């Protein structure tokens, strides 16, 4: 029992409506969740636009420029805004739980407003049809300068968040020397460090190349250099999404399901390995690119394979933890424990369904990363279908489930519309199954990703895609319905939920001792592992970038064909 | 750190699977020389149309009898928009873009590469006889979905080498 708990409450409790000290960050957490939820809603509407366009229906507002604008808005809002703001909210909640406060609350608020201003700026240009460059914004397609500046401000704002996470982690370590911080805190700090390392690439791309070029300060930009910097950032970006989801799986799911975490010390190893391995893998997004030698692509391929190790360890731990829960709830037999899991708890069902979809997504990912096999699926509908199972399910569905769990705790309000919250994860699963499985097949049959129309002048090979894209669009409609339910539940809870004291955040207990009989705490030394990560990144990137910079390169002026 | 026996077994099994992945990839790469297109050559995109490497687009045969295809990508078409090549014959495709990034994808084959302005892409592959759609698989603007070409692959006996002179290949 901590000293805090046995200390008597002081008699001079202020009678004002000020929040208790250990809840002071709740308004900031809620503000981040508001942005995430609204971004998610608009992004879902943009997805609906695409689904309808792809279904070949004759609708009055259907146009190619509308389609490509909506792909851009959907990608930016989902991949960069919904995820980042939810992750920031969760991080502040973790630090507040750990230390009873967050470091530098004013700075965190300033960074929130900065990031939000950046988002509004960038999206304003997208909705004005001035920046239909997709969320990958490859030059020489040229967006409005405020698009690049706005996204840069979002990243700068997230740096403030990352600094706060690391400061919170240091404070927790200093407060209890020789004792491990909570696994949730460890995961959050590892993710913040990963994010700082990853965003170096996109910051360099924005500040050195794209912003000066879009402002006309320089005439041309080298598309290959920009692509390489983008994917330096673009792959660890997916781990930035996945790690908070894993943190929920490790530290919230077991308790919500009624069990215990099977292997806490290996969880620490997993999050540390992601910090080390996430970044030196970006070239596996550039297999089909000229200008980069095959040898370096192969090196990144091997790194990519290694990074599946922590994910596969996670698969074991999560299933084992669920089995404990199922058996504690009376499940017997080889598979009986699956039936007794609380499938009606929206957090649990969200995570279980997210895991199921992620298994399929993981297998697909092994195909994408398989060097030679990539030539068959690169830039086809397979890819879009793949990452809707990873970021769109493993991460996004977990985040939605986590909102059902977290929002009552940080708002002091009951979850409203509980029935809708129960149904929503299943609808998401159904919609994603329809959308994604057909997308994988259509991709194998050669359908390019991100195309407004799939007819290709009645080409014979295109016939095979038509039924699949219709089913896929139907999946899109189901997903939209699910997204709508999520937004309704969130609005209902945040605006009209019954005010009632909520149980505090309590992390899942682990079977063994936290830290595994904590002695050396090797995996806890994130500063050391960050240094290792920097060295690996240098090995993986310095030579290919150096070689690229020493080619006789010809830059490109900007094009705005949208 | 105490790790449960079953978990140890699982981790070793994962290690074995990863070793298989490593081996199969290494065998494909080093044994069968299967690499993704990774050609390194640059070109001025503003002058690519007049560049000797791309002045003539289409199919050609070099002095040693190898078949080549020179292709330019531009918003929103491939040049040439139609080509005929012999079946079961290695064909070396050489491509560049004069504007934005495109993606050359010969549908339902492994023939594809990114086509980046300022760079020359190259890959060699062969096809079974048939009609193939060539799509653009990298978003290039509002007409992206219209950017396509046709590839006719005919049996070697029916294929006639282009009458014009040998391609100016570096």
């Amino acid at each position: 029992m901590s000293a805090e708990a046995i200390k008597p409450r002081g008699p001079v409790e202020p009678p004002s409506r000020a929040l208790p000290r250990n809840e002071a960050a709740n308004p900031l957490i809620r503000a981040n969740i508001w942005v995430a939820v609204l971004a998610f809603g608009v992004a879902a509407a943009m997805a609906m636009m695409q689904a309808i366009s792809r279904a070949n229906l004759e609708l009055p507002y259907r146009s190619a420029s509308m389609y490509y604008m909506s792909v851009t808005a959907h990608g930016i809002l989902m991949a960069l805004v919904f995820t980042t703001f939810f992750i920031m909210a969760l991080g502040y909640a973790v630090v507040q739980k750990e230390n009873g406060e967050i470091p530098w609350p004013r700075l965190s608020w300033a960074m929130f407003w900065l990031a939000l201003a950046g988002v509004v700026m960038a999206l304003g240009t997208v909705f004005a049809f001035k920046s239909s460059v997709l969320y990958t914004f490859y030059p020489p397609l040229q967006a409005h300068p405020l698009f690049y500046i706005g996204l840069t401000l979002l990243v700068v704002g997230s740096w403030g968040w990352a600094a706060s996470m690391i400061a919170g982690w240091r404070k927790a370590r200093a407060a209890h020397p020789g004792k491990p911080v909570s696994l949730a805190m460890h995961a959050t700090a590892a993710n913040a460090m990963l994010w700082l390392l990853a965003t170096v690439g996109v910051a360099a791309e924005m500040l050195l190349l794209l912003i000066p070029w879009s402002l006309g300060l320089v005439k041309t930009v080298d598309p290959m250099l920009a692509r390489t910097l983008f994917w330096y950032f673009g792959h660890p970006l997916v781990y930035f999404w996945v790690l908070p989801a894993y943190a929920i799986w490790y530290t919230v799911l077991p308790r919500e399901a009624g069990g215990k975490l099977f292997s806490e010390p290996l969880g620490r190893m997993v999050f540390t390995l992601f910090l080390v391995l996430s970044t030196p893998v970006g070239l596996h997004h550039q297999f089909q690119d000229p200008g980069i030698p095959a040898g370096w692509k192969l090196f990144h391929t091997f790194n990519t394979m290694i990074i599946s190790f922590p994910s596969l360890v996670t698969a074991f731990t999560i299933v084992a933890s669920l089995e404990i829960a199922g058996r504690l709830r009376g499940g017997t037999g080889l598979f009986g424990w699956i039936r007794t899991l609380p499938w009606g708890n929206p957090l649990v069902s969200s995570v279980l369904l997210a895991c199921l979809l992620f298994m399929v997504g993981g297998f697909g990912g092994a195909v994408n990363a398989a060097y030679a096999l990539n030539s068959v699926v690169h830039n086809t509908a397979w890819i879009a279908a793949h990452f809707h199972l990873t970021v769109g399910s493993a991460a996004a569905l977990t985040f939605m489930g986590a909102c059902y769990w977290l929002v009552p705790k940080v708002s002091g309000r009951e979850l409203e519309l509980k029935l809708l919250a129960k149904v929503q994860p299943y609808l998401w699963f159904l919609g994603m199954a329809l959308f994604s499985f057909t997308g994988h097949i259509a991709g194998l049959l050669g359908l390019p990703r991100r195309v407004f129309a799939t007819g290709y002048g009645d080409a014979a090979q295109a016939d095979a895609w038509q039924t699949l894209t219709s089913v896929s669009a139907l999946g899109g409609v189901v997903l939209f319905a699910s997204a709508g339910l999520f937004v309704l539940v969130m609005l209902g809870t945040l605006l009209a939920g019954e005010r009632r004291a909520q149980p505090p955040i309590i992390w899942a207990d682990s079977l063994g001792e936290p830290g595994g009989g904590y002695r050396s705490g090797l995996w806890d030394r994130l500063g050391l592992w960050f240094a290792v990560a920097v060295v690996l990144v240098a090995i993986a990137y310095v030579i290919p970038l150096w070689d690229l910079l020493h080619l006789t390169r010809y830059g490109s002026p900007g094009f705005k064909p949208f | 750190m105490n790790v449960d026996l079953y978990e140890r077994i699982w981790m070793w099994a994962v290690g074995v699977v990863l070793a298989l992945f490593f081996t199969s990839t290494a065998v494909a790469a080093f044994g069968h020389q299967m690499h993704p297109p990774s050609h390194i050559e640059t070109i001025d995109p503003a002058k690519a149309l007049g560049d000797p490497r791309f002045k003539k687009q289409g199919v050609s045969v070099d002095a040693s009898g190898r078949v080549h295809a020179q292709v330019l990508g531009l918003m929103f078409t491939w040049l040439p928009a139609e080509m005929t090549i012999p079946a079961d014959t290695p064909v070396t495709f050489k491509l560049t873009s004069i504007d934005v990034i495109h993606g050359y994808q010969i549908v339902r084959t492994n023939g594809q590469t990114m086509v980046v302005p300022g760079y020359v892409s190259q890959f060699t592959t062969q096809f079974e006889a048939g009609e193939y759609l060539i799509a653009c698989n990298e978003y290039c603007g509002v007409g992206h979905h219209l950017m396509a070409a046709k590839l006719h692959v005919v049996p070697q006996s029916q294929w006639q080498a282009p009458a014009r002179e040998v391609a100016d290949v570096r």
Side-chain angles (χ1 to χ4, degrees), chain B residues 17-32:
Chain B
V17 170
L18 288 182
L20 283 174
F21 281 8
F22 270 73
T23 314
S24 59
T25 303
V27 167
F30 299 115
H32 300 277

Side-chain angles (χ1 to χ4, degrees), chain B residues 4-35:
Chain B
D4 181 83
L5 174 68
Y6 287 120
E7 198 155 29
R8 270 179 209 277
I9 296 171
W10 170 264
M11 285 160 73
W12 279 107
V14 168
V16 170
V17 170
L18 288 182
L20 283 174
F21 281 8
F22 270 73
T23 314
S24 59
T25 303
V27 167
F30 299 115
H32 300 277
Q33 290 299 313
M34 284 170 72
H35 296 287

Side-chain angles (χ1 to χ4, degrees), chain A residues 102-178:
Chain A
I102 61 166
W104 321 314
R106 281 185 190 189
L107 177 77
S108 297
W109 270 109
M111 287 297 174
F112 166 79
W113 289 113
L114 185 72
L116 181 59
V119 167
V120 169
M121 211 182 265
L123 281 167
T125 72
V126 172
F127 287 124
F129 291 86
K130 301 250 182 257
S131 301
S132 297
V133 294
L134 308 193
Y135 98 98
T136 41
F137 49 84
Y138 298 139
L141 288 175
Q142 193 180 54
H144 192 279
L146 288 180
F147 175 84
Y148 304 115
I149 294 169
L151 290 185
T152 305
L153 293 181
L154 169 61
V155 169
V156 172
S158 73
W159 283 346
W161 167 84
S164 166
M165 295 301 103
I166 293 167
W169 171 76
R170 288 172 59 96
K171 185 175 174 194
R173 274 168 72 85
H176 305 285

